[in-house]
């Protein structure tokens, strides 16, 4: 049984917090709650208290209750603080460290892990300001569950922004309270992002990889207790907490960094490595009357194939395959050609680069697993789970 401080913010999804309280109580957890002022317009402290049978605090000034319970005491005594639904506003205030109401003061005072279950209009979720605040909070160690894609309360609005289902929030809470440490003592090397191949000192050839999938795998492996070395090409997303970053530019740098990181138990090669590099000019190429320069391309080393066949090969080597047709057949051929153990194959004909979600197939020597469409975080968690199962065999 744990003490879960639930912060409820104002939003249409606030009513789902009641269902969450019911489920947490069924599991025997204690669920004191703080309602923001806006939350009290969607659910009443009375209904929350009736379900939780625990203290409910609001900003409506109540000196007696504050003296008796105290929001700081609640925050300090919690095993976890869950914000559901978390609005764009509370995330903005948390990201800047504000404490201008009971909820944000408690969030600042707690030493317990914090889980946010965001819910908002898809445009608000997609806004760069929200993305910036989320990145800041994730870098601070705050965990997120959802939001999910689907229909919004506003008619005709669809997209990412729905509150995660109570069951998913419950699973995320349990994962934090009793974390999976199955990769404890293991070293995992993950490659991520694109490579930049210099043409001259100011120009380069790159690709559209965002690094989201590789970084999500590194984050999941770190959460499972592994020591993680993330060898990443240039990306704009934050380094996940608990991960050692080796930042590289070209494919040749990436190979050197991966080799330097060995020995490892597991290697997951999620980077979109350029197949060729240019014989880079020492000085910036000039525009001349004789026309454009001819670029001479040379083959890059295949990092996945090199590592799969190296003397210090990790026990499990996982590659990626981005295909636009015959996904499974091409991935199977790649498994043999590269000498790796598994391939995560995805169909990129519909556009995956930079997206939040991915549809993948896990291909091993003897079978194919079709995974449903998942967030890149969930693909990471699922892959790490399969890795932990395999190493335990
Ligand atoms: O052959 P293809 O580039 O489609 O293979 C993709 C897989 O191989 C990915 O896991 C990618 O990280 C890896 N790769 C590599 N080195 C290269 C090219 C691809 O490690 N030069």
């Amino acid at each position: 049984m744990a003490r879960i401080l639930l912060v409820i913010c104002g939003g249409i999804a606030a009513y789902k917090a009641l269902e969450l309280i019911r489920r947490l109580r069924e599991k025997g957890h204690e669920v004191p709650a703080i309602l923001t002022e806006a939350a009290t317009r969607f659910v009443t402290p009375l209904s929350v208290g009736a379900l939780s049978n625990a203290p409910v605090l609001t900003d409506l000034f109540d000196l007696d209750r504050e003296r008796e319970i105290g929001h700081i005491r609640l925050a300090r005594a919690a095993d976890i603080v869950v914000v559901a639904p978390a609005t764009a506003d509370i995330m903005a205030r948390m990201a800047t460290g504000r404490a201008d109401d009971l909820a944000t003061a408690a969030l600042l005072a707690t030493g317990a892990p914090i889980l946010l279950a965001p819910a908002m209009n898809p445009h608000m979720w997609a806004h760069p300001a929200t993305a910036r605040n989320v990145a800041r909070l994730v870098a601070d160690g705050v965990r997120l569950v959802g939001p999910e894609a689907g229909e919004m309360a506003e008619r005709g609005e669809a997209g990412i922004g729905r509150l995660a289902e109570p069951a998913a929030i419950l699973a995320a809470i349990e994962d934090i309270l009793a974390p999976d440490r199955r990769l404890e003592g293991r070293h995992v090397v993950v490659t991520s992002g694109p490579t930049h191949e210099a043409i001259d000192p100011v120009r380069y050839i790159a690709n559209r990889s965002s690094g989201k999938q590789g970084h999500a795998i590194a984050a999941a492996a770190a959460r499972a207790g592994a020591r993680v070395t993330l060898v990443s090409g240039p990306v704009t997303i934050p380094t996940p907490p608990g991960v050692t970053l080796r930042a590289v530019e070209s494919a040749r740098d990436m190979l050197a960094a991966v080799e330097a990181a060995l020995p490892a138990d597991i290697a997951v090669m999620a980077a979109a490595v350029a197949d060729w590099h240019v014989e880079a000019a020492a000085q910036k190429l000039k525009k001349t009357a004789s026309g454009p320069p001819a670029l001479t391309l040379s083959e890059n080393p295949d990092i996945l194939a090199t590592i799969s066949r190296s003397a210090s090969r990790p026990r499990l080597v996982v590659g990626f395959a981005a295909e636009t047709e015959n996904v499974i057949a091409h991935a199977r051929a790649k498994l043999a050609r590269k000498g790796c153990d598994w391939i995560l194959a995805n169909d990129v004909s519909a556009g995956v680069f930079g997206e939040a979600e991915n549809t993948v197939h896990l291909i091993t020597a003897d079978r194919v697993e079709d995974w449903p469409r998942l967030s890149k975080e969930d693909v990471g968690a699922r892959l790490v789970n399969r890795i932990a199962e395999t190493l335990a065999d």
Side-chain angles (χ1 to χ4, degrees):
M1 192 209 74
R3 190 172 298 160
I4 298 166
L5 175 58
L6 179 64
V7 175
I8 306 175
C9 301
I12 302 285
Y15 74 93
K16 287 199 196 165
L18 299 177
E19 164 75 1
L20 180 63
I21 295 172
R22 197 179 62 71
R23 287 187 179 234
L24 291 170
R25 294 282 298 147
E26 273 172 14
K27 296 264 177 182
H29 300 305
E30 223 178 282
V31 193
I34 295 179
L35 273 65
T36 63
E37 202 208 316
T40 60
R41 296 166 200 244
F42 293 91
V43 287
T44 67
L46 202 62
S47 50
V48 171
L51 273 171
S52 70
N53 196 25
V56 181
L57 295 184
T58 69
D59 275 295
L60 299 170
F61 196 63
D62 183 341
L63 204 53
D64 283 343
R65 280 182 73 69
E66 179 61 21
R67 200 176 293 131
E68 194 185 305
I69 304 159
H71 64 287
I72 301 291
R73 189 135 32 100
L74 273 187
R76 299 297 309 163
D79 297 307
I80 181 171
V81 183
V82 179
V83 188
T87 53
D89 180 64
I90 203 162
M91 294 196 297
R93 288 187 292 135
M94 287 173 72
T96 49
R98 299 199 59 143
D100 50 3
D101 62 1
L102 280 191
T104 46
L107 284 158
L108 211 52
T110 189
I114 297 174
L115 175 69
L116 302 183
M120 66 196 71
N121 173 279
H123 298 288
M124 294 171 78
W125 175 253
H127 195 284
T130 304
R132 199 162 58 229
N133 292 331
V134 169
R136 178 73 258 161
L137 291 168
V138 168
D140 287 348
V142 169
R143 300 269 298 268
L144 253 72
V145 53
E148 291 173 357
E151 286 283 319
M152 292 292 124
E154 296 97 330
R155 214 159 359 123
E157 290 268 11
I160 297 176
R162 266 168 71 103
L163 183 71
E165 289 303 321
I169 301 175
L170 191 69
I173 292 171
E174 284 176 344
D175 185 46
I176 294 173
L177 291 175
D180 172 7
R181 307 296 288 174
R182 283 179 296 167
L183 294 187
E184 194 110 64
R186 310 280 191 181
H187 181 208
V188 181
V189 175
V190 181
T191 69
S192 186
T195 62
H196 283 186
E197 307 297 335
I199 296 171
D200 65 20
V202 297
R203 303 182 179 95
Y204 58 83
I205 297 176
N207 59 65
R208 294 186 197 282
S209 168
S210 64
K212 281 182 189 160
Q213 185 60 79
H215 279 52
I217 292 166
R223 276 205 303 278
R227 177 165 74 84
V228 180
T229 307
L230 174 62
V231 181
S232 178
V235 293
T236 54
I237 56 173
T239 306
V243 161
T244 304
L245 177 73
R246 299 273 177 258
V248 298
E249 295 229 337
S250 70
R252 287 165 295 167
D253 296 344
M254 189 174 271
L255 174 61
V258 171
E259 285 178 330
L262 296 179
D265 301 283
I266 301 128
V268 181
M269 305 292 181
V273 185
D275 291 317
W276 308 286
H277 65 267
V278 184
E279 295 310 331
Q283 305 300 329
K284 184 183 168 194
L285 295 173
K286 295 279 183 225
K287 213 168 166 179
T288 61
S290 55
L295 299 182
T296 311
L297 299 179
S298 312
E299 194 107 355
N300 265 334
D302 190 312
I303 304 168
L304 179 59
T306 308
I307 297 304
S308 295
R309 301 202 163 95
S310 86
S312 42
R313 183 194 201 277
R315 175 166 159 201
L316 187 67
V317 180
V318 185
F320 269 72
E323 304 286 353
T324 54
E325 55 174 357
N326 297 332
V327 178
I328 309 283
H330 284 160
R332 275 194 176 287
K334 193 166 293 180
L335 191 73
R337 195 167 66 241
K338 305 259 189 178
C340 58
D341 301 296
W342 297 351
I343 288 268
L344 267 188
N346 52 354
D347 185 344
V348 293
S349 57
V352 164
F353 288 102
E355 301 274 326
E357 295 185 333
N358 214 346
T359 308
V360 303
H361 313 270
L362 177 69
I363 290 144
T364 69
D366 50 16
R367 63 180 173 151
V368 175
E369 283 178 25
D370 300 318
W371 292 2
R373 187 162 184 82
L374 296 167
S375 70
K376 288 183 177 174
E377 284 72 27
D378 287 344
V379 168
R382 202 157 166 151
L383 176 64
V384 163
N385 181 48
R386 292 291 287 107
I387 289 171
E389 281 174 4
T390 301
L391 294 189
D393 284 347

